[in-house]
Amino acid sequence: MISILSGIEAFVLNNLVMLPIAIGLLMAPVMLFLRNKPKAQKIAAITVSVLLLALAAILFWIVYQDGIQVYDIGEFGKYGIVLVGDMLSALLVLLTAFIGLFVLIYSFDYIEKNSLSASYYPLYFLMLAGIFGIFLTGDLFNLFVFFEIMFLSSTGLIMANEALSVTDSAHKLEATYKYMALGMLGSFMMLVAIVTIYATVGSLNMADLAAKIQIIAETGTIPWVIIAAALLFIVVFGNKAALVPLHFWLPDVHPTAPTPISAMLSGILIKVGAYCMLRVLFLILYPTKDFFLPILMFFALLTIAVGAISAMGQTDLKRVLAYSSVSQIGYVLLGLSLGTTAAIAAAIMYLVNHALAKSMLFLTAGGIIHETHTRDLRKMGGLITILPLFSMAFLVGAMSIAGFPPMGGFISKFALFQSAVSGEFWLPLLIALLMAVVTIFYMFRTWIAIFWGENKGSLKEADADPDVPVPAAAPAKKHKISIEIALPIVALCAAVIILGVYPEPLYEISNIIATQILDPTEYITTVLGGAPR
Amino acid sequence: MTEVFTALTISLVFGIGIYMILRRDIMKIAVGFSLISHAINLTIVTSGIFTGTLVPILTETINEHAGFIFTDDFANGILAPIVTGFTENGSFVDPLTQALVLTAIVISFATTAILLTLAYRISEEYGTTDVDELRRLHG
């Protein structure tokens, strides 16, 4: 018995970097086979999600203790595909597993039963596998493959049916069409950029590329094609991260997706763009920084401004949150574009805090929509007595996004502005501060519109308003919120507050990550150290 | 000379693809997307084939004459791979781009399939294949 346990332990520790991806990929067909047994599916899904969270925590702990972990697939050394778990990957895998678990619990009650069994679970695990793959891969082309896995499965998930339909399926199709068209163009451009780099440098391994491009930069001028590829990568990842001229799909897709998927899209999927910029532009193509940093900064500031100003005028609850996501990802990219260690550390803190707060806000918004049967802010009001839990949760989220102490958002905004002051970036700081004030305005305007004021009857006499789509069995009054909806909101709420009250570990980890990214020597030597067998 | 013609072909296919995705009919857009993906697949293949002439298989005889270094050695300033002693025979064709293009073809196949399904559902739901009619989310 003990030998079996130690055997399992050795297996897990030896294959730790690969396991999250493999389990995600394996669960997709398993869930398809179990589609006639919803109970078994539910148990399997929750068990595997907890297991993934545990694995991510172990991976994070081991990377924190022992440094970067490298896993060869196929034992070809750097000529094959390698998976690399460094601090940045481990942190984001942990974040994804954490949010993914609670989003899954939330979906049990929120997604329509047939849709849940037939397509939701398989696609959900496929998407998780894709996201883990993006975070863990050390190969540029493999990054593209995982990007496509994530993109295609999220396309399917956006069209999943909610138990209580407040969104027309026609709207979903239209939003998905925009997402598909832009995503396809983005992946074509990504292929062109990857092949350009491969044809110039002759490698696809990220560590190898980083080392070789560094040498090219030291010995002479960088070929212009590498600069062109770097700028193409900004377009590709900016498209995923909703950088402003490419942001217009997001306010359509995030609101029309079912709420748990909106939480996943806003929490994790747009962060994938920021992660890839950090990995590809800052790790591999850092010698071209004079070209891409000013461009990134300009568009990041534009993103902050356009997102915040658009969010002010929205009347749709989820659209406000979606535009807020656009604005907030601008702050993350601004932190990256400042380029100093402190600024990148602040951007990573911002990314984590925004992921937690925004996914919690989306889940809360879904709960509110579940009760009121409308997404229109003008038809809500006075819900603070009827939905006290949601009002508290939304307040916590709004305070975190707006940057109020003691929430996590305060710490990250403070660190970002401090790094801008110490780097003497006065104009970006001014714009960012101005838009932070706008953020406070639109978040609290939304909170007041939902929870204060007069009850407009969306809960009491919903039939009076013909515009509100009310199903026959509409809840006429306050009813009990199910545990599947309450638990994720409370858990994410707690995470937001804990990261605000006790930010020291995250601050320390972010600084380690920023140092690792800007000085990739450890990454390069660890990955290239292993000889091909 | 072949390179020039290949480059012209790629740019022509790419241009037709761009023209097609600027059309209003959703089916023409789908065709445009697949044309662009073909143009990019051609780009991937051509980035590998014109550099070498030898078939990329390591046989014993070749192995004897050549000095291969596959392992990095930072202490001595060696960054692998280093392939020497081959210049008189010519160099290898890059086999990796062909593996890459196969993957890219499969992925673009899947994406196009989803796009076509979506196009069918949109034509059912909206009663038209004109993308300019997809404006219910405006505002």
Side-chain angles (χ1 to χ4, degrees):
Chain A
M1 188 64 198
I2 291 165
S3 68
I4 294 173
L5 272 182
S6 61
I8 290 175
E9 193 193 336
F11 175 76
V12 167
L13 289 181
N14 285 337
N15 301 291
L16 194 57
V17 186
M18 177 269 294
L19 274 178
I21 306 169
I23 291 176
L25 288 177
L26 180 72
M27 279 310 281
V30 168
M31 283 296 175
L32 266 184
F33 284 127
L34 287 175
R35 69 181 174 282
N36 292 324
K37 302 181 182 66
K39 265 238 162 65
Q41 252 184 340
K42 197 168 163 178
I43 293 166
I46 195 96
T47 321
V48 169
S49 290
V50 173
L51 188 71
L52 282 175
L53 181 58
L55 279 174
I58 296 170
L59 175 68
F60 182 77
W61 181 246
I62 286 183
V63 171
Y64 184 69
Q65 292 286 312
D66 305 345
I68 297 170
Q69 302 288 313
V70 184
Y71 185 88
D72 282 2
I73 295 177
E75 305 190 338
F76 293 113
K78 71 174 183 180
Y79 306 101
I81 292 170
V82 287
L83 300 179
V84 186
D86 67 346
M87 279 305 279
L88 176 61
S89 315
L91 178 72
L92 287 172
V93 166
L94 183 62
L95 184 75
T96 309
F98 183 75
I99 294 177
L101 169 66
F102 291 114
V103 164
L104 187 80
I105 295 173
Y106 191 93
S107 326
F108 290 149
D109 200 34
Y110 199 87
I111 303 290
E112 195 250 330
K113 292 287 171 280
N114 285 334
S115 180
L116 193 65
S117 298
S119 63
Y120 188 86
Y121 287 129
L123 288 173
Y124 188 77
F125 280 104
L126 211 54
M127 185 176 78
L128 279 187
I131 296 170
F132 289 145
I134 291 170
F135 289 153
L136 289 172
T137 186
D139 184 280
L140 207 52
F141 194 79
N142 202 229
L143 181 79
F144 165 76
V145 174
F146 280 122
F147 237 86
E148 290 300 295
I149 291 178
M150 180 196 80
F151 167 60
L152 291 180
S153 47
S154 62
T155 309
L157 285 170
I158 290 166
M159 288 190 281
N161 291 325
E162 290 140 283
L164 175 80
S165 179
V166 282
T167 311
D168 261 356
S169 66
H171 289 189
K172 282 187 182 180
L173 291 171
E174 190 180 325
T176 316
Y177 181 72
K178 285 184 188 173
Y179 185 62
M180 282 283 312
L182 278 165
M184 280 175 84
L185 275 180
S187 42
F188 294 153
M189 284 195 185
M190 190 170 172
L191 264 183
V192 173
I194 289 171
V195 167
T196 310
I197 285 189
Y198 177 68
T200 319
V201 185
S203 178
L204 283 171
N205 184 300
M206 289 183 186
D208 200 23
L209 278 174
K212 281 178 179 162
I213 290 180
Q214 230 171 20
I215 289 168
I216 292 173
E218 277 163 14
T219 51
T221 48
I222 306 164
W224 67 270
V225 275
I226 291 185
I227 297 163
L231 300 184
L232 259 181
F233 273 125
I234 287 191
V235 177
V236 173
F237 300 139
N239 180 26
K240 280 282 173 246
L243 204 65
V244 144
L246 307 162
H247 74 294
F248 50 89
W249 58 272
L250 189 143
D252 286 343
V253 172
H254 288 208
T256 45
T259 299
I261 298 308
S262 310
M264 209 60 194
L265 289 170
S266 261
I268 303 295
L269 261 73
I270 58 170
K271 307 302 186 299
V272 166
Y275 163 82
C276 289
M277 278 197 190
L278 205 51
R279 182 65 84 205
V280 174
L281 293 180
F282 284 81
L283 188 82
I284 301 175
L285 299 166
Y286 196 66
T288 65
K289 69 173 188 302
D290 292 347
F291 295 93
F292 68 75
L293 281 184
I295 293 175
L296 194 59
M297 185 186 289
F298 175 73
F299 284 115
L301 289 171
L302 205 63
T303 309
I304 294 174
V306 170
I309 292 169
S310 315
M312 283 200 292
Q314 300 302 319
T315 52
D316 182 326
L317 170 55
K318 283 173 91 175
R319 235 166 208 275
V320 174
L321 296 179
Y323 271 116
S324 155
S325 282
V326 174
S327 172
Q328 300 295 311
I329 200 77
Y331 280 101
V332 176
L333 298 181
L334 177 68
L336 298 187
S337 68
L338 296 183
T340 59
T341 316
I344 290 177
I348 291 158
M349 286 171 74
Y350 209 110
L351 192 153
V352 173
N353 279 313
H354 176 253
L356 290 169
K358 188 49 67 65
S359 46
M360 194 266 283
L361 274 176
F362 261 112
L363 294 184
T364 315
I368 295 165
I369 292 161
H370 211 69
E371 303 294 320
T372 58
H373 302 258
T374 177
R375 277 165 38 188
D376 197 336
L377 284 174
R378 291 168 297 191
K379 290 172 188 157
M380 296 178 187
L383 296 180
I384 192 158
T385 50
I386 305 167
L387 303 168
L389 172 73
F390 290 161
S391 74
M392 277 314 293
F394 205 94
L395 186 63
V396 169
M399 282 170 79
S400 182
I401 297 288
F404 277 43
M407 307 307 167
F410 165 70
I411 307 290
S412 50
K413 255 201 180 88
F414 185 80
L416 182 63
F417 291 160
Q418 198 191 22
S419 70
V421 169
S422 61
E424 297 186 347
F425 295 98
W426 301 116
L427 187 65
L429 180 68
L430 182 72
I431 297 173
L433 269 175
L434 200 67
M435 288 306 150
V437 178
V438 176
T439 312
I440 298 171
F441 172 73
Y442 70 72
M443 283 321 295
F444 284 92
R445 169 186 164 270
T446 315
W447 190 80
I448 288 169
I450 302 170
F451 295 107
W452 278 2
E454 218 179 313
N455 192 336
K456 308 251 173 63
S458 57
L459 265 190
K460 290 223 174 97
E461 37 197 351
D463 318 54
D465 192 342
D467 291 336
V468 187
V470 182
K477 54 188 176 304
K478 178 181 174 179
H479 75 142
K480 212 169 169 304
I481 299 159
S482 69
I483 183 88
E484 285 102 330
I485 286 185
L487 175 73
I489 293 174
V490 171
L492 288 169
C493 226
V496 170
I497 296 174
I498 287 169
L499 281 184
V501 178
Y502 187 52
E504 196 58 38
L506 181 64
Y507 186 74
E508 191 200 327
I509 289 162
S510 309
N511 273 315
I512 296 174
I513 293 172
T515 325
Q516 272 187 0
I517 288 290
L518 287 184
D519 178 24
T521 323
E522 190 193 348
Y523 186 91
I524 293 170
T525 44
T526 319
V527 176
L528 299 187
R533 276 163 277 181
Chain B
M1 204 58 200
T2 336
E3 293 169 39
V4 176
F5 282 121
T6 326
L8 277 177
T9 315
I10 291 168
S11 54
L12 200 64
V13 175
F14 201 98
I16 295 171
I18 291 286
Y19 177 75
M20 290 296 261
I21 63 172
L22 294 175
R23 309 260 78 197
R24 287 171 62 175
D25 190 330
I26 204 162
M27 278 310 294
K28 286 182 181 158
I29 292 173
V31 172
F33 273 124
S34 59
L35 278 179
I36 290 183
S37 84
H38 289 316
I40 286 165
N41 292 342
L42 274 174
T43 317
I44 300 173
V45 175
T46 49
S47 74
I49 53 169
F50 293 127
T51 48
T53 47
L54 293 181
V55 179
I57 296 170
L58 279 184
T59 54
E60 289 299 322
T61 49
I62 290 176
N63 218 351
E64 280 169 12
H65 301 295
F68 291 110
I69 303 174
F70 283 133
T71 317
D72 297 293
D73 189 355
F74 287 108
N76 299 318
I78 294 171
L79 199 56
I82 295 172
V83 182
T84 49
F86 255 100
T87 36
E88 69 272 15
N89 298 332
S91 54
F92 288 121
V93 169
D94 191 342
L96 188 65
T97 50
Q98 294 163 28
L100 298 187
V101 84
L102 279 178
T103 319
I105 287 170
V106 172
I107 288 172
S108 79
F109 163 71
T111 330
T112 311
I114 293 187
L115 190 70
L116 287 175
T117 322
L118 199 62
Y120 172 68
R121 283 286 291 125
I122 284 174
S123 77
E124 257 187 359
E125 201 79 40
Y126 285 78
T128 174
T129 52
D130 186 349
V131 282
D132 277 11
E133 300 295 317
L134 303 183
R135 44 172 72 248
R136 290 187 199 172
L137 282 174
H138 282 210

